[in-house]
Amino acid sequence: MLKKILIMASGNGSNFENIVKKLENQVDIELFTENKSAYVIQRAEKLKVKTHIIDFKSFSRDEYDDELYNFLKKQTPELIVLAGYMKILSPKIVDNFKIINIHPSLLPAFPGINSIKKAYDYGVKITGVTVHWVDRVVDTGKIIEQKSVKIENSTTFQKLEKKIHEIEHEIYPCVLKKLLGL
Ligand code: GRF
């Protein structure tokens, strides 16, 4: 039987689509989103991936956390894969599941949101992508994999953004394969 992973995404879903296309015959993939208008839902429909939605806006924060925890307990995925999931996970969830995340900078530099822009505006000459375990604090968990990219004087922000996403699409499936023993 294939191992099961749950990808959690809140928006665009390019990492979700890339992982599904690269690993669909090797692992059983389902999608979770808390945002019922996320574009990732359309991607999942096209790819025939089962989607679970808990609408964040319909609950108080505590209720949402409980709903999500109970859902995850029932799902029992081998691994939870955050790919642009924009809500903070409760300590109870983080402590009870194996969760990884992808982040568009070389952590611990530029945690949080808009990291590509922050790195670009800061003028760093090297930035990149990090895959890390998720712990109780945002973007601080132990690093699993990193890949760097050089920012030349001629690099525009748009070019950098494109390159970062290319790197994400290259390394996330590789990390998953390694972690799942595929
Ligand atoms: C990626 O840049 C990822 O590093 C960050 O959120 C973005 C998600 O992009 N955590 P997409 O939704 O997979 O296109």
Side-chain angles (χ1 to χ4, degrees):
M1 214 170 77
L2 295 181
K3 287 180 178 166
K4 181 159 104 183
I5 63 169
L6 182 73
I7 301 182
M8 296 180 69
S10 305
N12 178 35
S14 72
N15 278 283
F16 161 79
E17 178 163 345
N18 175 63
I19 292 168
V20 172
K21 285 184 172 161
K22 289 190 177 146
L23 301 185
E24 63 186 341
N25 298 319
Q26 302 169 61
V27 66
D28 183 7
I29 302 174
E30 295 189 9
L31 171 71
F32 171 85
T33 186
E34 87 298 353
N35 172 10
K36 56 183 184 174
S37 46
Y39 182 59
V40 68
I41 297 171
Q42 292 178 41
R43 295 190 195 254
E45 268 167 24
K46 274 196 202 134
L47 293 160
K48 307 210 181 323
V49 172
K50 187 167 181 188
T51 300
H52 306 269
I53 304 173
I54 299 175
D55 180 23
F56 185 78
K57 292 187 186 143
S58 303
F59 298 95
S60 71
R61 181 72 226 214
D62 285 350
E63 280 167 2
Y64 173 80
D65 288 344
D66 283 348
E67 290 280 324
L68 181 56
Y69 177 79
N70 292 334
F71 162 74
L72 295 173
K73 271 278 169 215
K74 265 191 255 150
Q75 279 286 117
T76 61
E78 178 94 10
L79 190 65
I80 294 172
V81 178
L82 306 187
Y85 177 68
M86 298 304 287
K87 300 288 176 225
I88 292 171
L89 292 166
S90 69
K92 194 169 155 191
I93 291 175
V94 169
D95 293 349
N96 279 284
F97 297 93
K98 276 164 68 183
I99 310 171
I100 63 172
N101 183 41
I102 190 159
H103 184 79
S105 75
L106 291 179
L107 290 172
F110 308 111
I113 58 166
N114 299 328
S115 307
I116 308 175
K117 187 80 169 71
K118 281 183 199 155
Y120 186 80
D121 289 347
Y122 206 94
V124 294
K125 300 299 169 201
I126 297 173
T127 186
V129 173
T130 303
V131 179
H132 64 95
W133 291 105
V134 172
D135 66 11
R136 286 185 175 209
V137 184
V138 174
D139 298 333
T140 60
K142 198 167 166 50
I143 290 169
I144 302 167
E145 185 65 279
Q146 284 187 313
K147 185 161 180 182
S148 63
V149 55
K150 233 175 144 351
I151 304 179
E152 311 286 354
N153 288 339
S154 61
T155 309
T156 61
F157 171 67
Q158 284 71 21
K159 264 196 203 165
L160 176 64
E161 205 175 29
K162 188 164 174 275
K163 185 70 197 164
I164 291 281
H165 292 309
E166 280 169 15
I167 295 173
E168 291 184 338
H169 296 168
E170 179 195 327
I171 71 170
Y172 219 5
C174 294
V175 169
L176 280 170
K177 277 186 171 186
K178 265 192 213 154
L179 290 178
L180 297 166
L182 304 176

